[in-house]
Amino acid sequence: MIDWLDEFRPPEFPDTSRALEEPEGLLAAGGHLSPAWLDCAYRKGIFPWNDPDEARLWWTPMPRAVILPETFRVPKRIAREVRNTDLRVTANLDFKGVMKGCMAPRADSEGTWIDDEIIDNYPRLHDAGRAISIECWDESGALCGGFYGLSIGRILFGESMFTQHSGASKVAFASAAPLLFELGFEMIDCQMRTSHLERFGIIELDRPEFESRLLAGVNKPAPPSLPGVLI
């Protein structure tokens, strides 16, 4: 049994130790997606994820897939793609466009978990400097890939990525991640291991280590902003 969160009360979540084992990491339902609720959730390693026609669900799965500065790597083949690409990579020029790209139906599914409420609220965090987007543009100037995430202190919470051009999301991540770590980010939370990001040095942390790193990182001053043009 999980708790139902009252959206009309100040944001408050159950202790993460109460997350279910099946389905793995499910913690609560209900609540709201206002910036205050999202800030409270992510600071505890909790994030929303559900189909658009379901009740809002909140998750904190373990082990947690993350990339740390000391584990991060760019495979030689991808580094070569970045050097030779005709794509242009920017930061924070079209946050909502990236979100809508991530929201669009994909070849292997009917759609994603991103719904209109998410599209309405996450840009408010971006406007406040609490979320970032990385954009890939093709030779004609069309947005063709990228990713977005929330940033609190020195932790980046990766949310979703998309590509409409072969290799665009790889180029976007391989261009941005080194700069993020150079600027002072201490962890990229990938939530769950994927083959796409595994090549960049994902490791899995148990709950005590993840939450210890999380608590330390979110309470530090935010690093400087990324430059507008990356490549």
Side-chain angles (χ1 to χ4, degrees), residues 54-117:
E54 294 179 337
R56 181 68 60 205
L57 301 177
W58 299 88
W59 302 77
T60 176
M62 292 294 155
R64 196 62 160 252
V66 305
I67 301 176
L68 306 176
E70 61 268 28
T71 69
F72 174 70
R73 63 178 183 271
V74 177
K76 291 182 179 179
R77 181 176 61 81
I78 296 178
R80 186 164 57 249
E81 289 182 36
V82 172
R83 289 194 300 269
N84 297 329
T85 189
D86 293 324
L87 300 173
R88 185 167 64 101
V89 181
T90 62
N92 297 314
L93 296 190
D94 193 358
F95 184 85
K96 202 161 189 176
V98 171
M99 289 197 72
K100 288 184 175 179
C102 294
M103 183 185 188
R106 308 186 185 198
D108 58 351
S109 65
E110 296 181 355
T112 70
W113 56 276
I114 300 170
D115 59 22
D116 290 338
E117 192 178 6

Side-chain angles (χ1 to χ4, degrees), residues 34-212:
S34 69
W37 275 83
L38 292 170
D39 181 79
C40 179
Y42 281 85
R43 284 178 177 273
K44 299 175 182 295
I46 302 165
F47 58 88
W49 182 62
N50 51 271
D51 290 337
D53 58 350
E54 294 179 337
R56 181 68 60 205
L57 301 177
W58 299 88
W59 302 77
T60 176
M62 292 294 155
R64 196 62 160 252
V66 305
I67 301 176
L68 306 176
E70 61 268 28
T71 69
F72 174 70
R73 63 178 183 271
V74 177
K76 291 182 179 179
R77 181 176 61 81
I78 296 178
R80 186 164 57 249
E81 289 182 36
V82 172
R83 289 194 300 269
N84 297 329
T85 189
D86 293 324
L87 300 173
R88 185 167 64 101
V89 181
T90 62
N92 297 314
L93 296 190
D94 193 358
F95 184 85
K96 202 161 189 176
V98 171
M99 289 197 72
K100 288 184 175 179
C102 294
M103 183 185 188
R106 308 186 185 198
D108 58 351
S109 65
E110 296 181 355
T112 70
W113 56 276
I114 300 170
D115 59 22
D116 290 338
E117 192 178 6
I118 289 174
I119 289 286
D120 288 341
N121 282 283
Y122 280 65
R124 297 170 63 189
L125 289 167
H126 179 257
D127 292 343
R130 301 289 294 277
I132 69 166
S133 62
I134 306 297
E135 305 90 11
C136 248
W137 310 87
D138 65 19
E139 293 177 334
S140 68
L143 182 64
C144 65
F147 69 92
Y148 76 96
L150 273 62
S151 63
I152 303 178
R154 298 192 175 232
I155 308 297
L156 177 66
F157 303 88
E159 282 297 293
S160 188
M161 56 176 53
F162 82 104
T163 183
Q164 297 173 348
H165 181 290
S166 178
S169 59
K170 289 186 298 184
V171 169
F173 191 80
S175 301
L179 291 175
L180 291 167
F181 287 128
E182 287 176 16
L183 289 171
F185 279 90
E186 297 178 355
M187 184 167 67
I188 298 176
D189 176 23
C190 304
Q191 299 174 351
M192 292 171 282
R193 182 186 291 270
T194 67
S195 57
H196 181 72
L197 289 175
E198 191 166 15
R199 70 194 81 184
F200 292 104
I202 275 181
I203 61 170
E204 292 184 324
L205 303 180
D206 61 19
R207 189 174 299 281
E209 183 172 2
F210 171 75
E211 293 187 351
S212 174

